[in-house]
Amino acid sequence: MTDSSHRVVKYERTASPTASSISDKTMRPPPTVSTRKRKTPPTEYLDNRSFVRSYAPSAETHQRRDDETEPMLMEVRPRRDSFKIGSPVSQNADSSFAHQSFAHPTFTDIGLKQKACNDTLGDLQTLGVSHVAALPELVLVGDQSAGKSSLMSGLARVNLPRSAGVCTRCPLHIRLISSRIDHWSCTVSLQRDYDFQPLPNRKPKTSDVTASNPFPPWVKMSHRDTKPFKTIFDPSEIEEVLRWAQVAILNHNQNFELFIPGEGAVSKQMPLDLAARETDAQFSPNIVALEIKGPGLPDLSFYDLPGVFQSPEKEEDEYVVKVVEKLTLEYITREKAIIMWALPMNVDLENSTCLGIIRRAKAAPRTIGVMTKADQLPPQNIPNWLGMFRGEKQLVGEGFFATSRPPTQPLEDAAKWEDLFFNRQADGNSPWPIEFDEFADRCGVEVLLKFLSGKLTEAFAKSLPSIKKTVHERTIAIKNELDALPELPANVEHEVKRSLFKFLDQVKTAIRDTGFSSEWNTLNSQFQTCVFKMKPTCKVKDSELQTIDISGGDSEVATPSPSKRPRPSDSTMRNVSTPTKRPRQNNATTPIKNEEFVVGSLSRASSVMGVSDSRSSPFAKYHNLGRCAMDIKDIRNRILRTKRPGMPRDLVPDEVRETLCLDSVRKWEEPLDTYILKTAELLEKTANAALEESLGVLRRRLIFKECQHHLKQFIEEAVASQRARLTDMFNSETYQLYMMNDEAFHNYKAQEMAQLLRVRGIIRLKALTLIDWNYPAKKSEEMTEEEKTKERKMLETNLPKIGKDPYDTEIEVAGFVRGYYMMAAARFVEGVTMNVNSNLLRTFRERHLDASLDEKFHIYSHSDPSQYNRLMEEDDRTANRRSRLKGEMDKLSRAMHSINELGNFPGGAIDVCSSGDVDDSNNALLESDCEMDESVL
């Protein structure tokens, strides 16, 4: 390599320029020269030397490897337009940017460091830490129809939506990452910073848009909620996925998964255009983010904002005009934002609404003018746009670029077509005016890309120390806030599980305990007593002279005494002698005791039932529901209405017996409901006592409150299930008359008939004055054996004298009903209590509650540690605060890791700890930041 026809440079991978040195060498203002047309390259580069390709790789084509350590000889060859001189005086940005930076002998190192810086910046933007430290960012703004979509597609090197539909209704964040892997991918996510809270019964108005509420009906949230939408590997799918993602972000209160193309129900059933028209919101400040990776992509990230406009399609959407303006203003007022202002060359510049917003935000010094639609430039406007390039009006601080990406050109041909157009070699278009030749190094999307990447790197490198300092300070502040919150146990998961296991053991022990059993047995006895006391009583009078009730309870029935005793001539005397005279009583009542017939051994009641005090019983109010349920005259009327003509008088239709029997048992519904409620109360009281005993020390913690709430829900569900079973039992009893135990029934009926006939006989004998009018009808259990024997002989002696009872059939029906009632009551009480014991109580004695708590708290399996930490918080507010702080801490930790990685960059660390803008007093802190303690993060 000694031939003079070759320029050979020696390249060695050693320490490369720092980020600050990149800025100094690549982005300094251009030299002041007179404006003139493009000149030919200087003769020093165009001597008569012949450029013959050597066997050495070029600096542009050589693929470097991380393990390269040996010096490499490379050939540097002149390239077209690489040695331009003569830039306009007015361009504030470096017009020779491409020559000074990208053709630099150490461009490979610079490019790698630029990639590293832009990757780190993209990471920080994705993490959403801009609320902590202001980040440099590229923001693309412009009026509607300014060519932003075509420009954005050119920058991203992918076809993005270009229609005026859904793509203009929310911001986009596009991050481009070059990759050595030979495949393309795009991950779309939804970055939610705002919650959708629509106004009731109306859309927002322009007056609702204020400084404190800039995006109604969207309200700022305390943290960013990022939802991964879909990852694709075919660039042709990106337009559909992106449009569906924006439909999802405009339907904030619906599950975003419904709108994933090819997967969600809405995307499968509804056309995209229709879904875009029927969104809940017309606009959203939330962001659809695209992370695109692939070979040959520029390392760049930027925001694309909806186009600013003046007149909406519908008058009711007038407020959106102001909202979009507020959104644009918010982004461009960020002090680190680099503004890309898209302005079409086919319209007058004075018509730009966006320019007014830029001026109002005082963002012109940070603005790059990007002229679009250069192929549509009217000839009469050439002087105006030349003046823009030359900075005659000083509209922006970073100068202008010209681009031309017609939508009709395929993406794969767009860059080549644009290059031909600016070199006046494209067919079918008006040629690019020769007057712009002196600004050839400012024409084309590819040139703009390089400038933007370098500009963003410069801004980031300059801001990096202050960003790191701010992130570190915020990290320390969050750590202090977390330390100030109530202490959590050393092993939170173990403590949570231990407490819940203790609670489960306490519940099982309490349900098996004699204390609970005693209370429940008392409740069962009270329920049994109530049901038996509800046995239907019967009026056995057959005249107005006297009334007596046959009751199954211990109540007394007072019956009116006749104003005078029966006369011998009365038809009731039937030739019987007049009884002994007695004193006349006016308006007096003669109490005639009703008999109570306790079931005793014939009830076959559960052995767990005992006698309870009816005064304290929750069922006392139901004891008299069966009182006067039957009347022998009413029974006669039922028989007469029901039987067919010609049937014998003493033949009773089955319908009469069944109706009376079912009417008597239907009254169990209310007592049964009370029994269920009282059982549930007893269970809840016992379980809460177990909860208090096992978790009482954690009463202020969420674990106690949530366990208490879950326990209540579990009891309610268990009781509801038990109620359904008992309701089925009740419905079975009231469905139709049914018996299988004939012996028990006949025994019950015989008992009831004996009592009915005894009292009926006493009534008849008193009415006929065959016995003393004041003869007391005592309860059977209150009579001595001698009194019983005496009464039995009296009845056996006198009843034959008065003949057959005209109501003997009705008395038999009443005995049948009462006998059936007693048998059904014993069966029902036994079944209800046994069912509760074997179902409801069983769920607490066995592992049903364990399974329910495991589903809720994962006590038998592993779960997210944050779940256990939350349970140990004092309240929801503290839990949410701790969760929010830890989430922010995690973001800042990852941000600091990305920043620190720049310090370990191969080939020379990037300076992240010092800057000319940082005071010397902060140097010590920044030095310590570079090696921040992992325990802080």
Side-chain angles (χ1 to χ4, degrees), residues 122-132 135 191 193 224 303 888 891-892:
D123 289 339
L124 300 182
Q125 290 173 340
T126 302
L127 287 171
V129 298
S130 57
H131 67 288
V132 175
L135 301 176
Q191 296 178 353
D193 298 308
R224 168 171 289 181
Y303 292 92
E888 187 173 358
K891 286 182 180 181
L892 296 179

PDB file of all heavy atoms in Angstrom, residues 122-132 135 191 193 224 303 888 891-892:
ATOM      1  N   GLY A 122     -34.092   6.091  24.170  1.00  0.00           N
ATOM      2  CA  GLY A 122     -35.334   5.376  23.883  1.00  0.00           C
ATOM      3  C   GLY A 122     -35.813   4.563  25.059  1.00  0.00           C
ATOM      4  O   GLY A 122     -37.014   4.500  25.348  1.00  0.00           O
ATOM      5  N   ASP A 123     -34.867   3.923  25.765  1.00  0.00           N
ATOM      6  CA  ASP A 123     -35.238   3.165  26.966  1.00  0.00           C
ATOM      7  C   ASP A 123     -35.875   4.079  28.009  1.00  0.00           C
ATOM      8  O   ASP A 123     -36.901   3.734  28.621  1.00  0.00           O
ATOM      9  CB  ASP A 123     -34.008   2.485  27.571  1.00  0.00           C
ATOM     10  CG  ASP A 123     -33.499   1.324  26.724  1.00  0.00           C
ATOM     11  OD1 ASP A 123     -34.299   0.803  25.909  1.00  0.00           O
ATOM     12  OD2 ASP A 123     -32.329   0.954  26.866  1.00  0.00           O
ATOM     13  N   LEU A 124     -35.284   5.233  28.223  1.00  0.00           N
ATOM     14  CA  LEU A 124     -35.810   6.156  29.234  1.00  0.00           C
ATOM     15  C   LEU A 124     -37.190   6.662  28.837  1.00  0.00           C
ATOM     16  O   LEU A 124     -38.082   6.799  29.687  1.00  0.00           O
ATOM     17  CB  LEU A 124     -34.846   7.333  29.430  1.00  0.00           C
ATOM     18  CG  LEU A 124     -33.433   6.988  29.900  1.00  0.00           C
ATOM     19  CD1 LEU A 124     -32.615   8.261  30.096  1.00  0.00           C
ATOM     20  CD2 LEU A 124     -33.471   6.195  31.205  1.00  0.00           C
ATOM     21  N   GLN A 125     -37.394   6.940  27.559  1.00  0.00           N
ATOM     22  CA  GLN A 125     -38.701   7.397  27.104  1.00  0.00           C
ATOM     23  C   GLN A 125     -39.745   6.305  27.269  1.00  0.00           C
ATOM     24  O   GLN A 125     -40.872   6.566  27.703  1.00  0.00           O
ATOM     25  CB  GLN A 125     -38.614   7.852  25.646  1.00  0.00           C
ATOM     26  CG  GLN A 125     -37.839   9.143  25.452  1.00  0.00           C
ATOM     27  CD  GLN A 125     -37.619   9.467  23.985  1.00  0.00           C
ATOM     28  OE1 GLN A 125     -37.708   8.592  23.128  1.00  0.00           O
ATOM     29  NE2 GLN A 125     -37.313  10.730  23.697  1.00  0.00           N
ATOM     30  N   THR A 126     -39.369   5.078  26.944  1.00  0.00           N
ATOM     31  CA  THR A 126     -40.299   3.959  27.085  1.00  0.00           C
ATOM     32  C   THR A 126     -40.660   3.722  28.545  1.00  0.00           C
ATOM     33  O   THR A 126     -41.808   3.411  28.870  1.00  0.00           O
ATOM     34  CB  THR A 126     -39.689   2.681  26.486  1.00  0.00           C
ATOM     35  OG1 THR A 126     -39.375   2.912  25.114  1.00  0.00           O
ATOM     36  CG2 THR A 126     -40.657   1.509  26.597  1.00  0.00           C
ATOM     37  N   LEU A 127     -39.697   3.876  29.431  1.00  0.00           N
ATOM     38  CA  LEU A 127     -39.961   3.688  30.853  1.00  0.00           C
ATOM     39  C   LEU A 127     -40.885   4.753  31.402  1.00  0.00           C
ATOM     40  O   LEU A 127     -41.534   4.557  32.432  1.00  0.00           O
ATOM     41  CB  LEU A 127     -38.646   3.688  31.644  1.00  0.00           C
ATOM     42  CG  LEU A 127     -37.775   2.442  31.494  1.00  0.00           C
ATOM     43  CD1 LEU A 127     -36.417   2.665  32.146  1.00  0.00           C
ATOM     44  CD2 LEU A 127     -38.459   1.230  32.118  1.00  0.00           C
ATOM     45  N   GLY A 128     -40.949   5.897  30.749  1.00  0.00           N
ATOM     46  CA  GLY A 128     -41.822   6.963  31.208  1.00  0.00           C
ATOM     47  C   GLY A 128     -41.282   7.711  32.406  1.00  0.00           C
ATOM     48  O   GLY A 128     -42.010   7.957  33.364  1.00  0.00           O
ATOM     49  N   VAL A 129     -39.980   8.088  32.367  1.00  0.00           N
ATOM     50  CA  VAL A 129     -39.380   8.808  33.493  1.00  0.00           C
ATOM     51  C   VAL A 129     -39.248  10.298  33.196  1.00  0.00           C
ATOM     52  O   VAL A 129     -38.541  11.005  33.899  1.00  0.00           O
ATOM     53  CB  VAL A 129     -38.001   8.215  33.855  1.00  0.00           C
ATOM     54  CG1 VAL A 129     -38.133   6.782  34.300  1.00  0.00           C
ATOM     55  CG2 VAL A 129     -37.035   8.329  32.676  1.00  0.00           C
ATOM     56  N   SER A 130     -39.930  10.763  32.162  1.00  0.00           N
ATOM     57  CA  SER A 130     -39.806  12.180  31.810  1.00  0.00           C
ATOM     58  C   SER A 130     -40.395  13.079  32.881  1.00  0.00           C
ATOM     59  O   SER A 130     -40.086  14.267  32.940  1.00  0.00           O
ATOM     60  CB  SER A 130     -40.499  12.446  30.469  1.00  0.00           C
ATOM     61  OG  SER A 130     -41.854  12.048  30.505  1.00  0.00           O
ATOM     62  N   HIS A 131     -41.273  12.515  33.743  1.00  0.00           N
ATOM     63  CA  HIS A 131     -41.814  13.334  34.836  1.00  0.00           C
ATOM     64  C   HIS A 131     -40.763  13.580  35.922  1.00  0.00           C
ATOM     65  O   HIS A 131     -40.923  14.469  36.750  1.00  0.00           O
ATOM     66  CB  HIS A 131     -43.025  12.646  35.452  1.00  0.00           C
ATOM     67  CG  HIS A 131     -42.700  11.362  36.165  1.00  0.00           C
ATOM     68  ND1 HIS A 131     -42.351  10.213  35.487  1.00  0.00           N
ATOM     69  CD2 HIS A 131     -42.644  11.050  37.483  1.00  0.00           C
ATOM     70  CE1 HIS A 131     -42.106   9.251  36.347  1.00  0.00           C
ATOM     71  NE2 HIS A 131     -42.276   9.729  37.571  1.00  0.00           N
ATOM     72  N   VAL A 132     -39.684  12.782  35.906  1.00  0.00           N
ATOM     73  CA  VAL A 132     -38.604  12.946  36.880  1.00  0.00           C
ATOM     74  C   VAL A 132     -37.512  13.837  36.309  1.00  0.00           C
ATOM     75  O   VAL A 132     -37.056  14.784  36.956  1.00  0.00           O
ATOM     76  CB  VAL A 132     -38.030  11.579  37.291  1.00  0.00           C
ATOM     77  CG1 VAL A 132     -36.825  11.761  38.218  1.00  0.00           C
ATOM     78  CG2 VAL A 132     -39.091  10.731  37.966  1.00  0.00           C
ATOM     79  N   LEU A 135     -36.240  14.842  29.306  1.00  0.00           N
ATOM     80  CA  LEU A 135     -35.458  14.077  28.344  1.00  0.00           C
ATOM     81  C   LEU A 135     -35.477  14.763  26.988  1.00  0.00           C
ATOM     82  O   LEU A 135     -36.518  15.278  26.564  1.00  0.00           O
ATOM     83  CB  LEU A 135     -36.031  12.664  28.190  1.00  0.00           C
ATOM     84  CG  LEU A 135     -36.103  11.794  29.438  1.00  0.00           C
ATOM     85  CD1 LEU A 135     -36.793  10.476  29.110  1.00  0.00           C
ATOM     86  CD2 LEU A 135     -34.700  11.532  29.992  1.00  0.00           C
ATOM     87  N   GLN A 191     -49.603   3.121  25.865  1.00  0.00           N
ATOM     88  CA  GLN A 191     -49.063   3.808  27.037  1.00  0.00           C
ATOM     89  C   GLN A 191     -50.141   4.751  27.580  1.00  0.00           C
ATOM     90  O   GLN A 191     -50.426   5.790  26.992  1.00  0.00           O
ATOM     91  CB  GLN A 191     -47.791   4.579  26.674  1.00  0.00           C
ATOM     92  CG  GLN A 191     -46.659   3.681  26.227  1.00  0.00           C
ATOM     93  CD  GLN A 191     -45.415   4.444  25.825  1.00  0.00           C
ATOM     94  OE1 GLN A 191     -45.414   5.664  25.749  1.00  0.00           O
ATOM     95  NE2 GLN A 191     -44.336   3.731  25.553  1.00  0.00           N
ATOM     96  N   ASP A 193     -51.455   7.248  30.183  1.00  0.00           N
ATOM     97  CA  ASP A 193     -51.156   8.227  31.227  1.00  0.00           C
ATOM     98  C   ASP A 193     -52.401   8.940  31.718  1.00  0.00           C
ATOM     99  O   ASP A 193     -52.364   9.656  32.717  1.00  0.00           O
ATOM    100  CB  ASP A 193     -50.164   9.277  30.701  1.00  0.00           C
ATOM    101  CG  ASP A 193     -48.831   8.655  30.303  1.00  0.00           C
ATOM    102  OD1 ASP A 193     -48.263   7.924  31.133  1.00  0.00           O
ATOM    103  OD2 ASP A 193     -48.377   8.885  29.175  1.00  0.00           O
ATOM    104  N   ARG A 224     -48.001   5.684  34.828  1.00  0.00           N
ATOM    105  CA  ARG A 224     -48.240   5.184  33.465  1.00  0.00           C
ATOM    106  C   ARG A 224     -48.606   3.705  33.517  1.00  0.00           C
ATOM    107  O   ARG A 224     -47.970   2.918  34.209  1.00  0.00           O
ATOM    108  CB  ARG A 224     -47.010   5.389  32.592  1.00  0.00           C
ATOM    109  CG  ARG A 224     -47.071   4.650  31.251  1.00  0.00           C
ATOM    110  CD  ARG A 224     -45.947   5.032  30.320  1.00  0.00           C
ATOM    111  NE  ARG A 224     -46.122   6.388  29.807  1.00  0.00           N
ATOM    112  CZ  ARG A 224     -45.300   6.973  28.965  1.00  0.00           C
ATOM    113  NH1 ARG A 224     -44.218   6.332  28.540  1.00  0.00           N
ATOM    114  NH2 ARG A 224     -45.527   8.200  28.545  1.00  0.00           N
ATOM    115  N   TYR A 303     -41.795  11.438  18.597  1.00  0.00           N
ATOM    116  CA  TYR A 303     -43.239  11.499  18.784  1.00  0.00           C
ATOM    117  C   TYR A 303     -43.877  12.128  17.552  1.00  0.00           C
ATOM    118  O   TYR A 303     -43.350  13.095  16.994  1.00  0.00           O
ATOM    119  CB  TYR A 303     -43.606  12.332  20.010  1.00  0.00           C
ATOM    120  CG  TYR A 303     -43.198  11.709  21.318  1.00  0.00           C
ATOM    121  CD1 TYR A 303     -41.965  12.003  21.899  1.00  0.00           C
ATOM    122  CD2 TYR A 303     -44.037  10.821  21.989  1.00  0.00           C
ATOM    123  CE1 TYR A 303     -41.579  11.436  23.104  1.00  0.00           C
ATOM    124  CE2 TYR A 303     -43.665  10.244  23.192  1.00  0.00           C
ATOM    125  CZ  TYR A 303     -42.435  10.558  23.746  1.00  0.00           C
ATOM    126  OH  TYR A 303     -42.055   9.993  24.926  1.00  0.00           O
ATOM    127  N   GLU A 888     -42.294   3.102  40.612  1.00  0.00           N
ATOM    128  CA  GLU A 888     -41.432   4.185  40.148  1.00  0.00           C
ATOM    129  C   GLU A 888     -39.969   3.870  40.446  1.00  0.00           C
ATOM    130  O   GLU A 888     -39.078   4.152  39.631  1.00  0.00           O
ATOM    131  CB  GLU A 888     -41.845   5.501  40.818  1.00  0.00           C
ATOM    132  CG  GLU A 888     -41.104   6.704  40.256  1.00  0.00           C
ATOM    133  CD  GLU A 888     -41.630   8.022  40.805  1.00  0.00           C
ATOM    134  OE1 GLU A 888     -42.601   8.001  41.590  1.00  0.00           O
ATOM    135  OE2 GLU A 888     -41.047   9.057  40.462  1.00  0.00           O
ATOM    136  N   LYS A 891     -38.698   1.589  37.778  1.00  0.00           N
ATOM    137  CA  LYS A 891     -38.421   2.322  36.541  1.00  0.00           C
ATOM    138  C   LYS A 891     -37.107   3.086  36.639  1.00  0.00           C
ATOM    139  O   LYS A 891     -36.273   3.047  35.726  1.00  0.00           O
ATOM    140  CB  LYS A 891     -39.559   3.304  36.246  1.00  0.00           C
ATOM    141  CG  LYS A 891     -40.836   2.678  35.745  1.00  0.00           C
ATOM    142  CD  LYS A 891     -41.850   3.757  35.437  1.00  0.00           C
ATOM    143  CE  LYS A 891     -43.152   3.151  34.922  1.00  0.00           C
ATOM    144  NZ  LYS A 891     -44.132   4.205  34.603  1.00  0.00           N
ATOM    145  N   LEU A 892     -36.917   3.781  37.763  1.00  0.00           N
ATOM    146  CA  LEU A 892     -35.697   4.563  37.918  1.00  0.00           C
ATOM    147  C   LEU A 892     -34.465   3.671  38.010  1.00  0.00           C
ATOM    148  O   LEU A 892     -33.386   4.040  37.540  1.00  0.00           O
ATOM    149  CB  LEU A 892     -35.810   5.453  39.159  1.00  0.00           C
ATOM    150  CG  LEU A 892     -36.908   6.528  39.107  1.00  0.00           C
ATOM    151  CD1 LEU A 892     -36.938   7.315  40.406  1.00  0.00           C
ATOM    152  CD2 LEU A 892     -36.701   7.466  37.931  1.00  0.00           C
TER     153      LEU A 892
END
